[in-house]
Amino acid sequence: MIKELKLTNWKSFAEATLYIDPLTILIGSNASGKSNALDALLFLSRVSRGIAIFPAIAGDLNLPALRGGIEWVCRKPEKQFGLAVLIDDETTRQEYRYSLAVQVNSTKAEVVQEELILLHYGPRSKTPKKIKLLHTRADEANSPAIPTYYFTGTQGRGKHVDLARSQLILTQTETLHNAQPDVQYGARKALL
């Protein structure tokens, strides 16, 4: 279950955090951002099902565009937005923090940074042990493919794989046959 949604330069939000409980009600005056927060969840739902980032925003023949389309997905004058979610794994003492940064223009929308972190809580610990299951590096954001690093259980950056920028790294992780079981499990939990 999603416990928290962070929005950065998403539509009308410069920076905001929405805390989500099993029953969450959004209340506010007209034009206060309620629909924009829901659009963030709709966007995440679309891209987690394997829809490419640009049509998830701008729509296509089978999918309506998000309100405002590609032109209004970023808070003006920005050209990049970020979304992050905290996901609770009810079966274990673990959570997953997933974050995504997307660069947009009138003809494309691409991943510039993506990260999935496992937060494991010990039996008596309130501070989690953090394991970076997958990540991209911001200093490599200009290459045609996105260099992605996967957790291998050893020290260092991790296993390097070049992936497409037009889709979530998470959805592309499902097709990697030699990824660690922890990475595959975490990606599945984040995609639910």
Side-chain angles (χ1 to χ4, degrees):
M1 178 181 110
I2 295 176
K3 293 174 59 173
E4 181 181 294
L5 171 65
K6 290 188 178 187
L7 312 160
T8 306
N9 295 324
W10 173 264
K11 296 192 172 213
S12 60
F13 294 99
E15 193 167 320
T17 302
L18 175 64
Y19 298 97
I20 301 172
D21 291 320
L23 174 62
T24 301
I25 300 170
L26 296 177
I27 299 172
S29 61
N30 290 343
S32 63
K34 299 179 302 291
S35 295
N36 290 344
L38 293 174
D39 281 346
L41 292 170
L42 177 58
F43 169 74
L44 288 170
S45 172
R46 287 177 175 185
V47 293
S48 71
R49 292 189 325 250
I51 297 170
I53 295 169
F54 188 82
I57 298 167
D60 62 17
L61 291 173
N62 301 314
L63 192 65
L66 292 179
R67 290 174 324 100
I70 201 78
E71 185 177 330
W72 292 101
V73 74
C74 290
R75 185 171 192 268
K76 300 295 181 198
E78 303 298 328
K79 299 291 182 199
Q80 182 174 314
F81 68 83
L83 298 173
V85 291
L86 180 64
I87 300 149
D88 186 28
D89 184 352
E90 296 89 11
T91 60
T92 64
R93 290 185 45 85
Q94 300 180 145
E95 295 175 329
Y96 295 91
R97 181 164 302 282
Y98 171 72
S99 60
L100 168 71
V102 174
Q103 184 83 29
V104 300
N105 65 37
S106 61
T107 60
K108 65 182 179 179
E110 296 181 327
V111 173
V112 291
Q113 194 166 9
E114 194 167 346
E115 183 175 71
L116 178 63
I117 297 175
L118 167 63
L119 304 170
H120 179 75
Y121 294 86
R124 293 182 279 293
S125 175
K126 292 186 180 187
T127 305
K129 176 182 174 187
K130 297 179 183 181
I131 300 171
K132 228 181 241 191
L133 296 178
L134 67 86
H135 69 281
T136 59
R137 290 178 28 138
D139 60 337
E140 296 175 333
N142 293 326
S143 62
I146 189 159
T148 305
Y149 301 92
Y150 287 95
F151 172 71
T152 60
T154 61
Q155 293 290 342
R157 246 191 227 182
K159 179 183 167 78
H160 172 248
V161 179
D162 288 329
L163 298 171
R165 290 183 177 278
S166 60
Q167 288 191 297
L168 292 189
I169 302 303
L170 281 181
T171 59
Q172 296 175 75
T173 298
E174 289 183 308
T175 62
L176 294 177
H177 301 294
N178 54 356
Q180 290 281 328
D182 288 342
V183 174
Q184 292 283 356
Y185 182 79
R188 279 193 303 277
K189 289 304 275 185
L191 288 170
L192 295 178

